[in-house]
Amino acid sequence: ARLFRLAAEQGLALAQFSLAQCFESGAGVVQKEGEAVKLYRQAAEQGNMHGQDALGKCYARGGGVVRSEETAVKLFRQAADQGFTEAQKYIGGRYMLGLNGVAQNFADAAHYLRLVAEKGDADALCCLGFLCEHGQGTERDLGEAVRLYR
């Protein structure tokens, strides 16, 4: 944690994220959720997708911050738009189901879930298959649905 702290103090986003993880888990430092949130925020504000995702999780569960689905979704979307798979899956699922401050939007769901499905994620393949099967957010294509379900 000492080296992460030195690099974080120099403003390095990845070090800020890594040190935040240490504070969140208590690895090598005394566990301090507030310090973790502060460091995740610093990393996120520099555009670090890992920091955005981690801070989003803090807001989603109310860990060290006042719970805010709106803020969580905003942060997850920022991470997703940078290619962070876990955030893409989260946002795609929320668009598909219309949950947690995200209005249902099948086209956006298909977009994000396709990005994750291309990486072989079984859940995303299944969800995208459903969208293709029912023509929601994408053209109805039963052949593609079957391929995705397999």
Side-chain angles (χ1 to χ4, degrees), residues 114-136:
R114 188 172 309 281
L115 295 171
V116 180
E118 288 171 354
K119 298 171 187 172
D121 183 275
D123 293 331
L125 287 163
C126 184
C127 290
L128 187 58
F130 179 88
L131 293 175
C132 287
E133 178 183 354
H134 297 279
Q136 294 178 318

Side-chain angles (χ1 to χ4, degrees), residues 11 21 24 26 30 34 44 56-58 60 62 64 67 69 73 75 85 87-88 95 98 110 129 132 137 142:
Q21 287 187 304
E24 186 171 25
V30 174
K57 288 175 183 171
C58 291
R67 189 173 188 275
E69 287 296 333
V73 166
L75 289 158
T85 304
Q88 290 170 332
Y95 275 129
C132 287
L142 296 179

Side-chain angles (χ1 to χ4, degrees), residues 42-138:
Q42 289 173 357
E45 287 173 352
Q46 291 187 67
N48 180 278
M49 64 184 171
H50 301 285
Q52 292 163 338
D53 182 71
L55 186 57
K57 288 175 183 171
C58 291
Y59 276 102
R61 72 175 188 279
V65 294
V66 174
R67 189 173 188 275
S68 169
E69 287 296 333
E70 182 179 336
T71 303
V73 166
K74 176 184 165 198
L75 289 158
F76 287 134
R77 191 175 292 120
Q78 289 171 355
D81 289 342
Q82 290 189 70
F84 196 73
T85 304
E86 191 174 331
Q88 290 170 332
K89 185 174 175 179
Y90 176 91
I91 290 296
R94 293 317 177 262
Y95 275 129
M96 184 173 173
L97 301 173
L99 295 174
N100 299 56
V102 177
Q104 191 171 46
N105 183 317
F106 293 123
D108 285 343
H111 166 74
Y112 284 109
L113 291 169
R114 188 172 309 281
L115 295 171
V116 180
E118 288 171 354
K119 298 171 187 172
D121 183 275
D123 293 331
L125 287 163
C126 184
C127 290
L128 187 58
F130 179 88
L131 293 175
C132 287
E133 178 183 354
H134 297 279
Q136 294 178 318
T138 186

